[in-house]
Amino acid sequence: MAEDGPKPLQLNMPLVLDHNLTRQMRLRVESLKQRGEKRQDGEKLLQPAESVYRLDFIQQQRLQFERWDVVLDKPGKVTITGTSQNWTPDLTNLMTRQLLDPAAIFWHKEDSDTMDWNEADALEFGERLSDLAKIRKVMYFLIAFSEGLEPANLKASVVFNQL
């Protein structure tokens, strides 16, 4: 049987917790509370169970989404939402219109050995990442943790084929 040709090189690109940006967004929430002010119209404030992650595109050209590689080390659920925000040093506020649809949702039930996920939406989101990689050096994500999960319980990456 003949080979179809060489397999494309796969790049496993991890989502990395952006501690500084998460801290800055939490400070924004605290600052508003202390001053008794409200958020700007349309502003997305970081919730306590949300953190900011980033994906640094190593090779920006010719990436094709292959799959999500998400591991939760205990039962719970994470929702990964991409942002169109390109944060600048002045840390402009994140607006809800900058959150991309669809989100990728992954969950691990207590009585199950397998990871479940919203496959169609997660695949569509992943395919959009291939397009964004052509124009971005970095991509930011809001990851919401629920059912007792926190960043220490998550290991997530996106696998691309390099064409």
Side-chain angles (χ1 to χ4, degrees):
M1 215 157 115
E3 290 283 323
D4 289 336
K7 292 191 181 227
L9 175 66
Q10 287 196 333
L11 298 172
N12 188 333
M13 302 173 73
L15 299 181
V16 178
L17 178 60
D18 191 320
H19 293 283
N20 290 333
L21 193 50
T22 299
R23 184 174 46 79
Q24 290 291 341
M25 289 184 73
R26 291 197 197 293
L27 288 173
R28 168 78 177 147
V29 173
E30 285 302 312
S31 174
L32 289 173
K33 282 182 186 174
Q34 288 174 355
R35 292 185 277 163
E37 295 178 5
K38 295 188 187 273
R39 65 180 175 85
Q40 291 180 25
D41 190 33
E43 182 180 4
K44 166 66 174 124
L45 296 178
L46 195 65
Q47 300 300 307
E50 291 178 325
S51 294
V52 180
Y53 282 70
R54 63 186 285 150
L55 172 65
D56 293 299
F57 291 111
I58 299 166
Q59 179 66 35
Q60 297 170 340
Q61 301 299 317
R62 307 189 68 203
L63 294 179
Q64 178 185 28
F65 172 75
E66 174 66 24
R67 69 181 182 280
W68 289 93
D69 191 4
V70 175
V71 176
L72 300 175
D73 67 7
K74 70 180 205 177
K77 179 170 123 180
V78 294
T79 301
I80 303 173
T81 305
T83 75
S84 63
Q85 176 78 338
N86 240 342
W87 269 290
T88 57
D90 67 353
L91 295 170
T92 56
N93 300 331
L94 178 62
M95 306 304 277
T96 53
R97 71 178 181 276
Q98 295 169 319
L99 300 177
L100 303 177
D101 284 325
I105 303 170
F106 299 88
W107 63 93
H108 180 177
K109 292 184 179 174
E110 183 121 16
D111 56 354
S112 175
D113 290 337
T114 61
M115 178 77 76
D116 292 312
W117 51 306
N118 63 337
E119 187 172 358
D121 285 347
L123 292 176
E124 181 182 337
F125 180 22
E127 289 168 4
R128 289 186 72 188
L129 293 178
S130 297
D131 292 332
L132 290 167
K134 294 174 186 171
I135 57 172
R136 290 283 199 62
K137 291 186 189 222
V138 66
M139 173 93 185
Y140 292 94
F141 302 85
L142 280 184
I143 299 186
F145 297 88
S146 59
E147 301 172 24
L149 288 179
E150 54 188 37
N153 304 121
L154 172 70
K155 183 177 178 187
S157 60
V158 182
V159 178
F160 293 97
N161 290 323
Q162 188 173 3
L163 303 176

